[in-house]
Amino acid sequence: MPAFPHSTTSTPTAIAVPPSLSLPVIEAAFPRQLHPYWPRLQENTRTWLLEKRLMPADKVAEYADGLCYTDLMAGYYLGAPDAVLQAIADFSAWFFVWDDRHDRDIVHRRPRAWRRLRFRLHAALDSPRDHLHHEDPLVAAFADCVVRLYSFLPRTWNTRFAGHFHDVIEAYDREFRNRAKGIIPPVGEYLALRRLTFAHWIWTDLLEPCAGRELPDGIRENPAYRRAALLSQEFAAWYNDLCSLPKEIAGDEVHNLGISLIKHEGLTLEEAIREMRRLVEKCVDAFLVAEADALHFADGLDDGTARGRELSAAVRACVRNMRNWFSTVYWFHHESGRYMVDSWDDRSTPPYVNNEAAGEK
C-alpha cells in the first residue's frame, strides 16, 4: 500500500521495498504522516533552489521533486509553523547539495576548492548576514538558511546550533581526507564520525523551533530525552548506510558501516548486510523503550505551573517527532531518486549533480 493515504506524487503507486531493506516493524508500528504545508513546501523549495542557483534549471525541473527532499522534512517536523518548516526544508535541500559538492570535489581531486569552501562555511555560520551575497552560491544559500533559522529562538539556541554545525563541517573535512587517502575507518571510529557527518545533533536541535521553544540544558541532557534523540538519529544514519551501500561501493566510498564491517571485521558483503539489518532492527526496539521513558519524563515536567505545562508539551512534541523520523527516513529511501542507482547511466555519478570537473572554482 502507499506510504501515505494520499501520495506525494501525481501518480500514486504502491512502493515496492526490496526484501533486504524491508522493515515490517516500521511499516506496522510507525505510521507515516505528512505536514499539511507539504505541497507549498515542495513548490517553494524548488523555487528557492533556482533562485539560489544551487542546481541548474534543467536539473531542478527533471529531478528536484523526485529527490523528495521536502517529503523527508514534511514527514519529520510535524506541528512546525509553516515558516519554520520552510526554513528547515530549504536547509535540508542545501545540505544534500553541499554533500554532493563535497563528493564531487573528492572525485575530481579538488582539495583547494574544498578547503576554501570549508573556511567560507565556518565564516558564514558565525556571521551569516555578511555572506548573503557571496560569490559562491552554496555559501550564499547557506547564509540565507542560517539567518532564517537563527530568527526563531534565542541567541543561546543559535550559539548551540552553530557549535554543532562547526563540528559537522570539520567532520566533513576528516571524511574528505580519509577518502583522498583511501582510508576506511574501523567500525567504532566510523560510527563516531557518522554521528557528525549525518548531523545528529543538528536535526535534534531543529526539533525545538518546531515545538516553539528552546529546551533548557537540563532537559536536553536528561538521559531519557537524549537516548531517544540519539536512537532516532542512529537509525536514520545506519539505515541510510544500508540503502546507500551499492551507490557508495560504486563510487569508491570509504565511509559506510557496511564497508567498515567488510574491511575491518572480515565480513562478506552478504554478512555485512545482515549485520547492518540486525543493528538497525535493534535500534528500533531500543527506541520504543527509550520513547516510553522520554514521554514519562515529559509527564513529570508538568508540575501544575504554566512553565511546567509548556515544557512538558514541548518535550512531548519533540519526542513525537523523533518517532516520525523513523517512518519518514524509511520511506524516503524507497521514494527518492537519490538511491535509485540501477536507473543511472553511470552508477558512480548521480544524474542530478553538477559534475563539472574542470579546474578549482
Side-chain angles (χ1 to χ4, degrees), residues 6 39 47 69 84 111 119 121 135 156 169 227 244 247 251 302 309 321 327 356:
H6 55 281
T47 299
Y69 297 159
V84 173
F119 292 138
L121 292 178
E135 62 182 357
T156 46
I169 296 168
R227 179 163 173 74
S244 62
K247 167 177 174 277
D302 187 352
R309 286 192 297 273
N321 280 340
S327 57
E356 170 61 52

Side-chain angles (χ1 to χ4, degrees), residues 35 122 194 199 228 232 254 257 264 274 303 317 327 344 347 353:
H35 197 291
H122 278 306
R194 186 65 165 136
S232 73
V254 298
L257 178 55
H264 295 287
R274 286 198 297 271
D303 57 4
S327 57
W344 301 354
R347 289 171 62 88
V353 301

